Amino acid sequence: MSDKHKVTIDGITVEVEAGTSILNAARQIGGDIVPPAMCYYSKLEGSGGKCRTCLVQVSKGSEKDPRPMPKLVASCRTTVMDGMEVKNITSPEVVEARKGVVEMLLLNHPLDCPVCDQAGECHLQDLGYEHGRAKTRYEFDRRTFEKVDLGDKIQLHMTRCILCYRCVFTADQITNTRLHGVLNRGDHSEISTYISKAIDNDFSGNVIDVCPVGALTDKTFRFKNRVWFTKPVQAHRDCDHEKCNGKVTLWYKGEEVIRVTARKDQYGEVEEFICNTCRFDKKQTSDWVIEAPTKISNKSVISSNHYDTMKPLPVVKTNPQLLEANKEQFERDTRL
Amino acid sequence: MGRKLLLEHINVPGINTLEVYRQKGGYRSVEKALKQMTPEEIVEEVKKSGLRGRGGAGFPTGMKWGFLAKPEGVARYLVCNGDESEPGTFKDRYLMTYIPHALIEGMIVGSFALGAHVSYIYLRGEMMPQIRILEKAIAEAKAAGFLGKNILGTGYDLELYVQPGGGAYICGEETALLESLEGKRGNPRIKPPFPAIAGLYGCPTVVNNVESIAAVVPIINDGGEEYAKIGVGRSTGTKLISAGGNLKKPGVYEIELGLTCEEFVYSDEYCGGIANGKTLKAVVAGGSSVPILPNNLFFKTANGEARLMSYESLSDGGFATGTMLGSGGFIAYDEDQCIVRNTWNFTRFYHHESCGQCSPCREGTGWMEKVLHRLEHGHGKMSDIDLLVDVSKKIEGNTICPLGDAAAWPVASAIRHFRDEFEWHVTHPSEATTRNFGLAHYADPLPKKEETAA
Ligand SMILES: Cc1cc2nc3c(=O)[nH]c(=O)nc-3n(C[C@H](O)[C@H](O)[C@H](O)COP(=O)(O)O)c2cc1C
Ligand code: SF4
Ligand code: SF4
Ligand code: FES
């Protein structure tokens, strides 16, 4: 048996390694047929299966057993079989179910985007725009929680949480100790440290990056600026933490570094987790070696103010290499 | 009189003690299984019996046992699911309270058949008396040499533990149960892998209902074929039904599968009819999760045949006109019961018990509960009825575990069959808070039944 499996998603065929999930096969194809994923995170073992936004229809199980699967399946947790045929955006059922899931996710969400630091880079916001209804059918009070500080660097705004469990997995797998988890059940569930304990270890800041919404935010960046007014720049430093390689994205406003995050790919997943020193304590340009402006999809609002060749960022202006890269990117991203 | 296999000696004084239980032929199956049979033969016998899981899904037990992976050097487990928390179902508790040795005997035979040396009985936390009863019974069995090392000199070792849960309905779902048993939060696991491959502590595991395990005892004593002679078609053997609601004689009954619904409700051997001379309005045949049926559709299937208490006959007509045997939690509603209130009450339960892992169930159950609450209390709108149907459809089939379906079905079916009553709650809001809709046409002979869009 070959260890390559052929799978067809919305009519596009791709060959992938055995054991690949439908979602990752779709990501290899790319484009519109990639199901949205709110809880799956490729770097976190056991993640996925919870939010149900990535539901797809398997219209043919495999070459050997062509029967379709009876229910829609979570593409992030279903592995491909050879000859499998999957329908995502070509299936009306999937589109309908996804609309339902988005509605559910937004049901108790405060929709306080105007005052939320995540706005502009929030996956729920994107999802809502793309698949949601214009108006909610929910006519009851929404669930609310008090904001809590998880130590002096991280703030938890539970009201916005979609219970994707990513931060729990991160704390479990990336940090040495997990100090928070999910308490209670059903729609009373909440992310908490139970006795308002501060979350404190070298990698705890990563929960901010994995959070798809504005539930976990960086207190050092809080209310400083809207992300679309800031300019992301790739940079690195020689970090002495054994598990951190110091590769980050710096978010500039004028000459000031106002936020440091890990580098994220087009699905919002970090390339490598970074330590808290890099994230919270190194906010001088002199701490870093600048590489290049971060590539931002021209669909993102973050790109809206950036590649303004007339007024390049001060740090770019003084660096010929960055100047060139900036111009290139500006041209590429404005061609369409 | 229908045959009794599980509850034959239930009225014998002291049957909860090992001594009396032994006098009535107890632990014969252990001697037979361990001394005269191989594990494969036991599994074969259970397959022949046609026994289907009594926990709700009705999956053939023999087949489930046959699927258990048997890698070298890896422990295997048999776990008994005694979490019984479905509204309307109380048969397992009854069995464990009055005849605990039946379960322990079944556990020994089952563990031997599956090659398990440590087995667990997981009980919901509220069942403290049953936990004590079982622990006492286990101690008795151990003292008599039926548990522990080298059972009956056959060289087979088995330890049996009772584990109380925290009292969550969701911990009855088999993978949530395993998580809970491992000491974690009782969230259902995402399948695959199924427990038969990777269950408790990652080892191959079989999870069975209390009654399924107890039913193995008569199967081994009398043979699978003998067991299969009882019942109709693929519904073999006897089944415990916990009957509640407006019945003259509520209680736990052992029926031969295939008994007519008519006889079950009206004969003096079973429920003895409806209490206080009233008329039956509706029935939930298998615990709160199964679709509710109006009187007329419960006694007769859509094509006019008498409905039987069996897996097939109860589900005749699919969800449009049928229901399911489920876990045997039979609830009868007389003419004075309000279906809207009942639906709200069930939904309140699912809202409270959802584990909150997946978004459709976490948010949808709460939403349905709020809308139903509003309808029941006279603040509903006509559009709420279709909204409920739509929300239930958005939950159904889109969740990790079947709790989502279980929450959606009662709502969808109540509206399917009792839409008039829901509409009446909207059109007569103040009246609806002071009196009930009544029997209406729900007991009329069938052809009159109007088709409503579901
Ligand atoms: C939400 C939920 C609750 C359940 N609760 C129980 C229960 O309390 N007792 C039980 O035996 N099975 C329960 N089940 C069914 C179990 O998942 C499983 O199917 C059963 O224990 C298998 O045993 P059986 O094959 O002997 O029926 C529940 C299932 C779900 C989805
Ligand atoms: S806080 Fe964020 S990462 Fe954690 S569960 Fe909630 S939404 Fe997910
Ligand atoms: S369906 Fe409900 S109970 Fe089951 S896993 Fe999802 S949220 Fe939990
Ligand atoms: S990404 Fe697949 S269920 Fe959330």
Side-chain angles (χ1 to χ4, degrees):
Chain A
M1 219 181 92
S2 92
D3 47 4
K4 284 276 184 186
H5 284 175
K6 210 178 250 164
V7 51
T8 307
I9 303 173
D10 283 341
I12 306 171
T13 305
V14 64
E15 270 206 1
V16 297
E17 298 289 327
T20 308
S21 66
I22 298 175
L23 180 70
N24 281 331
R27 284 181 176 182
Q28 289 185 21
I29 299 172
D32 288 345
I33 61 122
V34 183
M38 298 296 289
C39 65
Y40 170 76
Y41 210 75
S42 60
K43 277 137 205 111
L44 299 172
E45 208 183 310
S47 65
K50 301 192 194 296
C51 71
R52 317 307 282 177
T53 53
C54 70
L55 290 175
V56 293
Q57 188 178 30
V58 176
S59 49
K60 180 180 166 195
S62 69
E63 211 52 72
K64 265 195 244 130
D65 181 3
R67 284 176 303 167
M69 293 192 184
K71 295 202 275 183
L72 303 184
V73 297
S75 59
C76 63
R77 291 293 296 255
T78 309
T79 44
V80 297
M81 302 294 251
D82 198 30
M84 185 184 260
E85 281 172 24
V86 177
K87 287 184 174 171
N88 178 21
I89 49 176
T90 52
S91 156
E93 275 171 62
V94 170
V95 172
E96 187 61 20
R98 188 165 297 149
K99 217 160 92 187
V101 172
V102 174
E103 185 173 26
M104 299 293 185
L105 282 175
L106 291 171
L107 211 59
N108 271 305
H109 191 81
L111 295 172
D112 58 347
C113 313
V115 295
C116 176
D117 275 334
Q118 191 88 0
E121 55 178 10
C122 172
H123 291 243
L124 188 60
Q125 216 175 20
D126 297 347
L127 191 74
Y129 274 121
E130 215 163 313
H131 306 279
R133 294 172 177 271
K135 225 170 153 255
T136 180
R137 296 185 291 170
Y138 188 68
E139 296 164 322
F140 305 92
D141 289 344
R142 285 157 200 262
R143 172 181 68 219
T144 52
F145 297 87
E146 294 289 321
K147 287 176 227 156
V148 271
D149 287 337
L150 307 175
D152 60 343
K153 299 286 171 30
I154 307 172
Q155 185 166 66
L156 169 66
H157 205 326
M158 184 56 215
T159 312
R160 296 176 185 147
C161 172
I162 58 162
L163 286 165
C164 68
Y165 282 64
R166 279 182 186 177
C167 59
V168 180
F169 286 117
T170 305
D172 243 352
Q173 294 166 25
I174 310 300
T175 71
N176 301 329
T177 41
R178 172 157 74 83
L179 298 169
H180 80 288
V182 179
L183 300 186
N184 298 330
R185 66 179 178 220
D187 59 9
H188 304 287
S189 300
E190 58 176 305
I191 297 291
S192 177
T193 54
Y194 195 53
I195 39 174
S196 315
K197 219 174 146 159
I199 292 190
D200 185 22
N201 54 51
D202 297 348
F203 268 59
S204 64
N206 289 297
V207 297
I208 299 167
D209 280 343
V210 300
C211 184
V213 296
L216 290 166
T217 49
D218 183 341
K219 279 184 72 188
T220 64
F221 175 62
R222 199 169 144 66
F223 296 148
K224 284 241 176 94
N225 223 300
R226 312 274 19 179
V227 292
W228 57 88
F229 294 135
T230 63
K231 164 133 181 123
V233 171
Q234 307 293 76
H236 66 266
R237 66 182 271 272
D238 192 13
C239 180
D240 50 18
H241 195 294
E242 53 188 331
K243 288 200 294 185
C244 173
N245 65 4
K247 288 190 183 160
V248 302
T249 301
L250 303 178
W251 299 76
Y252 275 98
K253 168 77 180 175
E255 304 206 31
E256 205 187 335
V257 177
I258 57 174
R259 179 169 72 146
V260 182
T261 67
R263 294 184 189 176
K264 294 188 186 178
D265 65 13
Q266 58 171 319
Y267 301 110
E269 293 191 11
V270 304
E271 281 160 19
E272 266 157 299
F273 292 103
I274 59 169
C275 72
N276 284 3
T277 314
C278 286
R279 182 186 304 273
F280 296 124
D281 302 334
K282 301 288 171 195
K283 299 222 172 151
Q284 301 298 325
T285 302
S286 58
D287 292 330
W288 299 96
V289 180
I290 307 286
E291 293 168 18
T294 306
K295 289 200 179 80
I296 297 285
S297 149
N298 58 352
K299 284 192 199 147
S300 163
V301 291
I302 300 177
S303 66
S304 64
N305 287 296
H306 287 153
Y307 301 110
D308 184 342
T309 43
M310 308 301 287
K311 283 181 279 157
L313 217 58
V315 27
V316 175
K317 231 185 315 193
T318 55
N319 183 328
Q321 204 190 336
L322 284 186
L323 212 54
E324 191 52 34
N326 201 38
K327 213 162 74 203
E328 242 171 62
Q329 197 169 352
F330 175 73
E331 275 159 18
R332 190 172 51 243
D333 285 356
T334 50
R335 206 178 305 144
L336 288 177
Chain B
M1 274 287 275
R3 277 185 64 183
K4 306 278 180 267
L5 299 177
L6 299 174
L7 305 185
E8 192 182 353
H9 304 297
I10 195 79
N11 291 323
V12 175
I15 192 72
N16 60 337
T17 62
L18 184 84
E19 195 192 338
V20 179
Y21 186 72
R22 286 283 282 156
Q23 281 164 14
K24 291 291 169 191
Y27 288 98
R28 259 188 306 146
S29 72
V30 174
E31 296 188 24
K32 183 171 173 188
L34 267 59
K35 290 184 176 159
Q36 299 164 26
M37 296 173 81
T38 63
E40 292 72 32
E41 283 168 349
I42 300 173
V43 174
E44 204 43 50
E45 216 52 53
V46 176
K47 275 188 186 156
K48 265 193 239 159
S49 75
L51 173 67
R52 290 168 68 176
R54 304 301 195 216
F59 191 82
T61 306
M63 223 201 272
K64 192 180 212 171
W65 289 13
F67 285 151
L68 186 73
K70 297 191 170 140
E72 276 299 310
V74 178
R76 281 167 246 148
Y77 296 103
L78 172 64
V79 177
C80 170
N81 186 344
D83 192 63
E84 190 173 61
S85 333
E86 176 122 335
T89 309
F90 47 89
K91 62 182 178 73
D92 294 344
R93 186 186 62 196
Y94 182 83
L95 189 81
M96 291 185 290
T97 312
Y98 296 106
I99 184 157
H101 285 286
L103 173 60
I104 293 165
E105 184 174 355
M107 283 299 284
I108 301 170
V109 175
S111 302
F112 177 69
L114 298 172
H117 294 286
V118 176
S119 291
Y120 297 92
I121 302 174
Y122 182 95
L123 287 193
R124 69 183 279 206
E126 286 94 332
M127 291 200 198
M128 225 48 221
Q130 287 69 29
I131 292 166
R132 294 208 187 90
I133 292 169
L134 282 173
E135 283 187 333
K136 183 165 162 254
I138 288 172
E140 280 181 316
K142 204 164 179 176
F146 290 110
L147 279 173
K149 291 248 175 287
N150 193 14
I151 297 170
L152 303 178
T154 59
Y156 175 64
D157 305 335
L158 175 68
E159 285 302 331
L160 191 55
Y161 298 102
V162 181
Q163 173 63 47
Y169 173 59
I170 192 57
C171 291
E173 199 280 337
E174 53 186 9
T175 55
L177 184 151
L178 296 175
E179 286 282 297
S180 171
L181 192 54
E182 287 178 13
K184 303 185 192 144
R185 183 183 159 85
N187 278 358
R189 295 177 183 168
I190 295 154
K191 288 171 265 186
F194 289 92
I197 310 293
L200 187 64
Y201 304 116
C203 301
T205 304
V206 166
V207 181
N208 270 131
N209 175 255
V210 172
E211 187 190 344
S212 316
I213 291 173
V216 171
V217 175
I219 290 171
I220 296 305
N221 281 336
D222 309 335
E225 264 157 39
E226 207 44 46
Y227 188 86
K229 281 185 194 153
I230 307 172
V232 283
R234 288 180 54 235
S235 303
T236 58
T238 63
K239 169 99 188 76
L240 298 183
I241 305 285
S242 52
N246 308 110
L247 294 165
K248 253 196 204 127
K249 296 196 304 173
V252 176
Y253 295 101
E254 181 169 10
I255 63 161
E256 291 186 18
L257 286 168
L259 180 78
T260 63
C261 294
E262 188 102 36
E263 188 179 348
F264 181 67
V265 175
Y266 291 112
S267 82
D268 283 331
E269 188 184 341
Y270 301 106
C271 304
I274 308 305
N276 308 319
K278 294 203 174 140
T279 313
L280 184 73
K281 177 177 177 183
V283 165
V284 168
S288 63
S289 306
V290 311
I292 187 169
L293 284 183
N295 175 323
N296 47 17
L297 275 176
F298 175 65
F299 291 116
K300 288 247 162 45
T301 63
N303 44 27
E305 287 163 25
R307 211 184 273 281
L308 313 177
M309 296 290 280
S310 74
Y311 291 96
E312 289 79 19
S313 181
L314 280 172
S315 51
D316 186 294
F319 277 5
T321 60
T323 177
M324 292 191 303
L325 181 60
S327 54
F330 185 95
I331 313 174
Y333 299 90
D334 72 19
E335 60 203 53
D336 288 336
Q337 305 310 317
C338 173
I339 300 300
V340 178
R341 187 173 185 85
N342 179 67
T343 312
W344 167 56
N345 195 26
F346 280 176
T347 308
R348 205 160 58 111
F349 172 79
Y350 290 108
H351 174 209
H352 187 254
E353 297 293 340
S354 160
C355 83
Q357 251 192 120
C358 45
S359 26
C361 169
R362 176 180 69 236
E363 309 292 346
T365 50
W367 191 5
M368 290 199 300
E369 197 232 298
K370 293 189 183 90
V371 174
L372 280 160
H373 181 270
R374 172 161 90 182
L375 275 169
E376 163 62 15
H377 290 87
H379 309 291
K381 297 188 279 195
M382 231 16 145
S383 60
D384 284 352
I385 302 171
D386 287 326
L387 175 70
L388 282 171
V389 174
D390 190 57
V391 174
S392 77
K393 275 204 198 123
K394 293 277 161 54
I395 302 174
E396 184 186 346
N398 293 340
T399 54
I400 295 176
C401 87
L403 189 138
D405 301 340
W409 292 337
V411 176
S413 62
I415 296 179
R416 190 180 310 127
H417 299 300
F418 299 90
R419 188 177 264 267
D420 295 4
E421 187 164 346
F422 281 83
E423 287 175 355
W424 180 79
H425 272 74
V426 178
T427 52
H428 300 74
S430 58
E431 213 179 327
T433 54
T434 52
R435 79 170 182 93
N436 283 323
F437 188 60
L439 185 64
H441 53 84
Y442 298 126
D444 294 354
L446 264 183
K448 234 194 121 257
K449 205 203 141 269
E450 84 282 40
E451 277 302 316
T452 45

